[in-house]
Every structure is written in structure tokens, then in C-alpha cells.
């Protein structure tokens, strides 16, 4: 297929005084002629020499313009037959109204990459993030990474970072592990995904706490694992009820340090009972240690993985709460017996995230910033929680301190999901309590009020907005549990 070159189709207007290089001007003129269809597919372009002579420019200038067009697949070199215009498939315009793909996590997140509002869960204090230090560490990491000889990175994560995490875990969580038991992830959800793949538990059953982080129930369903809700009381998960409901479950997902969302710590007897069940049945315990050392009530309880000589606990940690979700980093500590399996899954299906961020985090841990930051966050969050508690007491019944949040139960008949949907209009973003329960009929309506971003200057306004929101729910009781 050929078409003759028609000089009338293309008008070059070379402007030597313009800031745009001459090569780019030639490229742009030819690109426009091709895209607009004035130069048809198969058209042979003039040789570099001919066009250069015609335009009064160097041959290399035309050659560079042709190469740029070839990089964009607009022309191709046909050997002795010269450079020709390529066949183009016109991009099919996608009409916006044809596509309506709902975004994920509709009930859990009000949107993504939005500025956090007061009471919003899952985000640490924005004003206390060590932004300058982090930027410096990242710059250092980018340079180190760019200069380093390039080889495939360890899919389990950078060895130095895994060594640092092992050292920190020994100090803050009492866990004694080898760095090769640690696999870097992009956060809790990724840790759960890696775990489900490594354990190969599709088609089996898992205990989940009731109430629990809703991600667990949905995540298990997506992973083909049946979730069996096990009630939680003031001592944590009712192990006896779990044993009765599903003695042969393949795993149990628990939050022993601070139960999510109630905040209770799993008691010593329940810990022993859970570990005994796992050992007896050959089951696994997935410990979601999302708050790590961030226990506002005092010293954090030891991790369950630190009390597990039989090696049944898979410990999932995250830097999302302790530093920032923007890092997108967490880790799994696998028992020695199955650590190689976790490494294989990371290697084939789930490699560790971005090396540069890992190197920056290595510096943050190695230079002692992490422990200092944790100490600072604990006292800041305690201050903010106490200030909220003192301020709320006047109008809203506070039922529990839970992790980094305060829980305010609402009377039956309130639709906390509908309330929460309206909250951003008032400039706040509490979370509904009811979605943490497995069954709507058992769900207790309420609001989970995260304290991390409640800076003193905004506290009064945020509490007034909250009271107005709750009053609105009282005046216009909403149909209970409307989804
Ligand atoms: C119980 C629990 N686990 C895990 C997470 C999420 O951790 P990440 O920041 O790694 O996504 C959350 C977030 O709110 C949580 O509440």
C-alpha cells in the first residue's frame, strides 16, 4: 500500500527565532498532517536529505523528527522503500455516560485522596507527620536507588529493612523473629491477601470477630473463604463460641492488642485458649496488629505472636497507622515453618512494593525516628482523645475508648449509615458502628469518632457539627439499617 507524497498537504513554517527546537517544529507539522488524515497511511515521506534541503536544515534534524514520529508509531521505516506513514486505528471515543463503574469500598470510604475531615478513621494526625524529615529520607533513598547496580529486588522486601523491622518488633511487640520470616506488603489488606494465598485456604472456614473490621468479611468472601462471626465481649473474642461454631476452621482473624472496634485487649485466658485450639486443630491465627504500640491507655499488651511457641500465629503489621497510609507499607511475620511458602507467594504473585519507599523507611527506623515518633503520637493522641471526651460529655454519651477512637452509641432506630453519609456536608466524617457487625439485626448503631486529627482549634466546631448531625437523626428518625 503506497500513496504519493503530495507537498500541498503539508506546509512547513520553520521559525528559527522560536523557542521550540526546529526538530520539534518539523515533528509537530508532520504529526498534525498524519493525525488529521492529510497524509494517508502508506505515504512515503521525502528522504531526510531531500526534506532537509527543501527546508534549509541539517539532515540530522529531519532524521530526529522522523525518529520521534516512529516512536509514536505514526511512521515506520520500510528499509529501501523509505519512511512511510503507518496505518492508524482511530481511537474509539469512550462516551462518559456509557461507563458507570462504581468505585470500591462505597460503605467504608467517602472517597479517595480527599483531605481528611475531623473524626475520620484510618488516618493519622496530618499535622504531626514528619514531612520534612520524610522528604529528606526519600530524596536520599531515590539517589541511593538510582546509583545502585540494578538487579531484581528481593520480593520479600529489602533485607536491611526486614532486619530493622525484626529489631523494632523485638523492642515494641516482644516478637523474636528472623528477618527472613518478614515479608513486606503494601498494608494490612495486602498482608491478608498474601496470607490467604500462602495458606491455600480457599473453600475453608475462618473465624472473624463480631464486630470486626468489615474488610475481613469482604476480603474472605472474595478469597473464597467462609467467614464465621464469633462474638466479642469485654475479654475479647469468645473462643469457646468459636470452637462450638466452627471447630475445624482453617484460621481465625483477631485483633488481640486492641480489638477493632471495641478496643478491648484479649485476656490472658482467651489468648491461651485460642493458641491451644490452633495447636490442637492445626489451625492458623492471623493477628491484625494494626495499632502496634499505639496503646493510649498505657503500655501495649504483647503481641500474640510473642506468646506462640507452636508457631501458629501469622502476625500482620502496618505502618499505615503508626506513620502514614501514604507510605503504602506493612509487613507479615510468618512462622518459621511456613516462611519459605510466604516467600514463594511473594516471589510469584505478590512482590514487595516500591524499593525507594522501603529504603526511606529503613532510614527512618535505623536512625531512631520511628520510636521517637511513636512516643510523640501516643501522647498527642491521648491529649486529643481526652480533650474530645471532656468536650463531648456535655451532649453525647461516650460509651468506650477504642484504639484511636471514641465510640458514641446511638439509640436503636437511628440509621448511623445514613447519618454518616450526610456528615461531610457538615465538615466531619465519623464512621458508622453498625457496619462492623456481621448481621444488621445484631448491629448496634453508633458513631466511631477517630481523634487523630482533632486539633484544639477545630475541636469545638467539629463537636457542634456532630451534635447537629445527631440531633438531625433524632428529629427525623431514619429507617433502621437502610443500606
Ligand atoms: C482493624 C484494622 N486493621 C487494619 C486496618 C488497615 O490498615 P492499613 O492502614 O494497612 O490499610 C485498619 C484501618 O482502619 C483497621 O481498622
Amino acid at each position: 500500500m503506497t500513496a504519493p507524497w503530495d507537498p500541498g498537504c503539508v506546509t512547513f513554517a520553520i521559525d528559527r527565532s522560536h523557542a521550540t527546537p526546529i526538530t520539534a517544529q518539523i515533528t509537530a507539522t508532520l504529526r498534525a498532517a498524519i493525525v488529521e488524515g492529510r497524509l494517508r497511511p502508506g505515504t512515503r515521506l521525502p528522504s531526510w536529505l531531500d526534506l532537509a534541503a527543501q527546508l534549509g536544515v541539517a539532515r540530522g534534524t529531519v532524521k530526529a523528527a522522523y525518529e520521534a514520529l516512529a516512536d509514536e508509531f505514526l511512521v515506520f521505516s520500510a528499509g529501501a522503500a523509505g519512511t512511510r506513514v503507518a496505518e492508524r486505528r482511530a481511537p474509539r471515543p469512550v462516551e462518559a455516560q456509557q461507563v458507570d463503574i462504581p468505585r470500591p469500598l462505597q460503605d467504608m470510604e467517602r472517597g479517595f485522596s480527599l483531605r481528611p475531615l475531623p473524626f475520620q478513621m484510618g488516618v493519622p494526625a496530618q499535622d504531626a507527620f514528619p514531612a520534612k524529615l520524610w522528604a529528606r529520607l526519600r530524596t536520599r533513598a531515590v539517589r541511593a536507588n538510582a546509583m545502585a547496580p540494578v538487579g531484581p529486588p528481593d520480593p520479600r522486601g529489602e533485607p536491611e529493612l526486614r532486619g530493622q523491622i525484626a529489631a523494632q518488633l523485638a523492642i515494641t511487640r516482644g516478637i523474636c523473629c528472623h528477618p527472613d520470616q518478614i515479608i513486606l506488603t503494601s498494608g494490612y489488606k495486602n498482608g491478608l491477601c498474601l496470607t490467604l494465598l500462602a495458606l491455600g485456604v480457599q473453600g475453608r472456614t475462618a473465624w472473624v470477630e463480631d464486630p470486626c473490621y468489615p474488610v475481613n468479611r469482604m476480603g474472605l468472601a472474595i478469597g473464597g473463604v467462609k467467614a464465621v462471626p464469633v462474638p466479642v465481649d469485654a475479654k475479647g473474642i469468645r473462643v469457646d463460641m468459636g470452637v462450638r461454631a466452627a471447630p475445624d476452621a482453617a484460621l481465625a482473624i483477631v485483633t488481640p492488642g486492641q480489638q477493632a472496634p471495641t478496643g478491648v485487649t484479649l485476656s490472658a485466658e482467651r489468648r491461651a485458649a485460642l493458641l491451644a485450639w490452633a495447636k490442637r486443630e492445626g489451625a492458623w491465627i492471623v493477628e491484625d496488629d494494626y495499632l502496634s504500640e499505639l496503646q493510649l491507655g498505657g503500655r501495649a499488651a504483647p503481641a500474640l505472636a510473642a506468646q506462640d511457641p507452636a508457631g501458629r500465629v501469622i502476625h500482620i503489621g502496618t505502618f499505615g497507622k503508626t506513620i502514614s497510609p501514604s507510605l503504602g507499607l506493612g509487613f507479615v511475620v510468618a512462622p518459621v515453618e511456613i516462611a519459605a511458602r510466604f516467600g514463594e507467594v511473594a516471589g510469584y504473585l505478590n512482590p514487595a512494593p516500591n524499593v525507594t519507599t522501603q529504603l526511606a523507611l529503613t532510614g527512618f527506623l535505623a536512625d531512631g525516628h520511628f520510636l521517637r515518633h511513636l512516643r510523640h503520637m501516643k501522647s498527642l493522641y491521648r491529649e486529643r482523645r481526652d480533650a474530645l471526651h471532656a468536650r463531648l460529655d456535655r451532649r453525647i454519651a461516650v460509651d468506650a475508648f477504642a484504639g484511636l477512637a471514641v465510640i458514641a452509641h446511638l439509640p436503636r432506630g437511628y440509621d448511623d449509615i445514613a447519618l454518616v453519609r450526610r456528615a461531610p456536608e457538615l465538615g466531619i466524617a465519623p464512621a458508622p458502628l453498625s457496619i462492623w457487625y456481621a448481621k444488621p439485626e445484631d448491629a448496634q448503631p453508633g458513631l466511631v469518632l477517630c481523634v487523630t486529627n482533632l486539633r484544639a482549634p477545630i475541636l469545638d466546631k467539629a463537636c457542634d457539627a456532630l451534635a447537629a448531625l445527631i440531633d438531625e437523626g433524632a428529629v427525623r428518625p431514619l429507617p433502621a439499617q437502610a443500606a
Side-chain angles (χ1 to χ4, degrees), residues 182-398:
I182 296 177
I183 316 281
L184 265 293
T185 66
S186 66
Y188 173 72
K189 294 166 187 165
N190 187 208
L192 181 60
C193 175
L194 173 70
T195 302
L196 295 180
L197 287 172
L199 298 182
V201 285
Q202 198 168 26
R204 304 279 311 271
T205 298
W207 299 1
V208 291
E209 296 167 327
D210 192 21
C212 80
Y213 186 37
V215 160
N216 289 333
R217 285 190 299 267
M218 285 310 295
L220 287 171
I222 291 169
V225 179
K226 181 171 177 252
V228 174
V230 180
V232 166
D233 66 15
K235 291 180 177 174
I237 187 167
R238 288 282 308 265
V239 179
D240 56 331
M241 293 176 81
V243 171
R244 244 177 286 141
D248 58 347
L251 70 153
I253 304 178
V254 289
T255 43
Q258 298 175 71
Q259 204 275 331
T262 62
V264 302
T265 299
L266 189 63
S267 73
E269 310 92 90
R270 299 268 174 92
R271 284 173 182 244
L274 188 60
L275 290 167
W277 163 75
K279 188 172 170 198
R280 192 172 65 239
E281 301 294 335
W284 300 103
I285 300 168
V286 175
E287 173 176 38
D288 173 5
D289 196 43
Y290 67 116
L291 287 181
S292 173
E293 231 262 304
L294 282 176
Q295 166 60 268
L296 306 191
R299 183 138 175 71
L304 193 62
Q307 306 172 318
D308 169 38
R312 305 312 302 176
V313 177
I314 294 143
H315 179 93
I316 303 186
T318 175
F319 292 101
K321 297 272 193 293
T322 49
I323 307 180
S324 168
S326 67
L327 263 61
L329 282 179
F331 58 90
V332 170
V333 185
V336 174
E337 189 199 328
I338 49 168
R341 172 77 184 155
F342 273 74
E344 289 291 318
V345 174
Y348 285 106
L349 291 174
N350 201 80
N354 184 282
V355 170
T356 307
T357 317
Q358 290 186 52
L359 294 179
L361 180 59
T362 309
F364 195 73
L365 298 180
D367 297 348
H369 300 299
F370 183 58
L371 292 180
R372 209 171 310 128
H373 182 67
L374 268 183
R375 189 158 25 89
H376 175 45
M377 288 301 100
K378 267 173 92 160
S379 68
L380 182 74
Y381 292 156
R382 206 177 298 129
E383 240 171 58
R384 289 184 176 177
R385 182 196 65 183
D386 293 346
L388 172 66
H389 188 216
R391 176 65 176 69
L392 277 185
D393 260 357
R394 289 180 234 149
R395 292 152 87 171
I396 297 160
V398 169

Side-chain angles (χ1 to χ4, degrees), residues 5 29 43 52 61 103 108 121 127 131 137 179 281 351 361 406 421 427 452:
W5 165 258
T29 304
T43 305
T61 306
R103 69 171 167 82
M108 289 196 62
M121 284 195 72
D127 55 322
L137 290 168
E281 301 294 335
L361 180 59
V406 164
R421 281 202 191 119
T452 49

